[in-house]
Amino acid sequence: MDILEILRAGLQQALGPQAIVFALAAIGLNIHFGYTGLLNFGQAGFVAAGAYGLAVTVVTFEAPFIVGIVMAIVAPIVLAVILGLPTLRLRADYLAIVTIASAEVLRFVFGSVEMKDTFGGSNGLTGFAKPFQDANPYSSGLDLGVVAFGRNDLWSLTVGWILVALSCVLVWALMRSPWGRVLRSIREDEDAVRSLGKNVFAYKMQALALGGVIGGLGGLFLALKQASVVPTDYSTLMTFYAFAALLLGGAARVMGPVIGAILFWFLIAALGSFFSQSAGAGGWIPTVIMTDTQASLIRYIMLGLAIMLLMIFRPQGIFGDRREIAIDGR
């Protein structure tokens, strides 16, 4: 068994583009769920809105690249307003139902034959990332021995981790401001906040929009990294992975979603490499117990079991506070 190969696989994913996308999605969820108590099960919809906001603006409407960047930020705000207006005055579970349904509706609309001229159908859209690629200042890639990234990947990772860092700084500053303290108060007891004259609905809408925009930045990054947008990339699985990363790192902690995303993808890749080496011909696990095909899936079972145990023995996550993840059942 090659331990170095397992470590290399884990670090490659932990520092790679997938970790960036889910870190940004989880930071947005942290504002929704961790700080405000909003149950958003449709973060994939906000990620898709950011990605398609860029792609549709540049490819379909032939607008400049910078306009596409602006639309990638505006689109999640519009989606937040559409979803928040009918639901944020109601119980938390209504928002959860509406968001998960809207994310699936968006995915089917983006992939529909009827809207193919606008969204590209199941094949998606391409041809919008050239200005981003042309701005690459690196002349070569980076090889650290354990991990290696090509020239284009290095540029994408630089931009991606800068976005993550800026998002963390923004959340850190906002949550220490009076606005952030109102959000925490809403999570604990929104009736008490309302009795003090605060417009709870407006604060919830602002939180939903801000978290959606940060999730949209994840979609923007993913679109630029892949140089394409495809509807299948924005399934509900993306939301659940982002929630797993958030809960792993710790809700209502600035760095919790980032550390959680890094650990999540490290474990996914490292466990996959470990079981791939262990099963099948030459492995120490007999084929009668685990085949090569099963080895690629067992990592999800092991990671799911680890998260279950974490929720039992440390429900606040690695860096979280148990009081921060209490869900208001109203």
Side-chain angles (χ1 to χ4, degrees), residues 157-176:
L157 295 181
T158 301
V159 173
W161 285 115
I162 287 175
L163 286 176
V164 171
L166 291 176
S167 298
C168 288
V169 171
L170 177 64
V171 172
W172 177 84
L174 288 176
M175 295 310 157
R176 280 155 181 75

Side-chain angles (χ1 to χ4, degrees), residues 216-231:
L217 291 178
L220 171 64
F221 169 78
L222 181 61
L224 292 174
K225 169 63 180 67
Q226 296 183 159
S228 66
V229 290
V230 183

Side-chain angles (χ1 to χ4, degrees), residues 22-211:
F22 284 89
L24 288 168
I27 291 171
L29 280 179
N30 197 27
I31 295 174
H32 294 161
F33 173 70
Y35 289 110
T36 317
L38 301 176
L39 285 176
N40 171 19
F41 286 159
Q43 185 71 341
F46 290 98
V47 177
Y52 272 90
L54 168 68
V56 171
T57 302
V58 175
V59 178
T60 305
F61 296 105
E62 301 180 350
F65 181 76
I66 188 64
V67 177
I69 297 294
V70 172
M71 287 306 301
I73 297 173
V74 171
I77 297 176
V78 174
L79 180 61
V81 172
I82 293 174
L83 298 182
L85 283 175
T87 59
L88 290 181
R89 297 184 189 276
L90 305 174
R91 294 202 319 255
D93 49 354
Y94 286 99
L95 178 64
I97 295 169
V98 168
T99 51
I100 193 172
S102 64
E104 283 297 281
V105 168
L106 284 176
R107 185 168 67 88
F108 283 116
V109 169
F110 292 153
S112 65
V113 176
E114 293 79 4
M115 301 296 291
K116 186 175 183 179
D117 292 340
T118 303
F119 300 113
S122 59
N123 294 325
L125 294 171
T126 59
F128 54 83
K130 192 174 186 304
F132 174 76
Q133 296 168 347
D134 290 343
N136 188 347
Y138 298 113
S139 58
S140 62
L142 176 66
D143 189 349
L144 299 177
V146 179
V147 293
F149 299 103
R151 174 176 176 270
N152 292 332
D153 286 341
L154 185 59
W155 171 231
S156 297
L157 295 181
T158 301
V159 173
W161 285 115
I162 287 175
L163 286 176
V164 171
L166 291 176
S167 298
C168 288
V169 171
L170 177 64
V171 172
W172 177 84
L174 288 176
M175 295 310 157
R176 280 155 181 75
S177 70
W179 184 81
R181 289 193 287 272
V182 172
L183 290 190
R184 290 174 182 264
S185 301
I186 290 173
R187 182 194 62 206
E188 298 300 328
D189 190 342
E190 66 178 67
D191 288 334
V193 176
R194 192 176 289 111
S195 69
L196 296 175
K198 301 294 185 181
N199 188 337
V200 172
F201 174 78
Y203 278 94
K204 284 184 175 182
M205 181 65 78
Q206 293 164 17
L208 184 64
L210 178 60

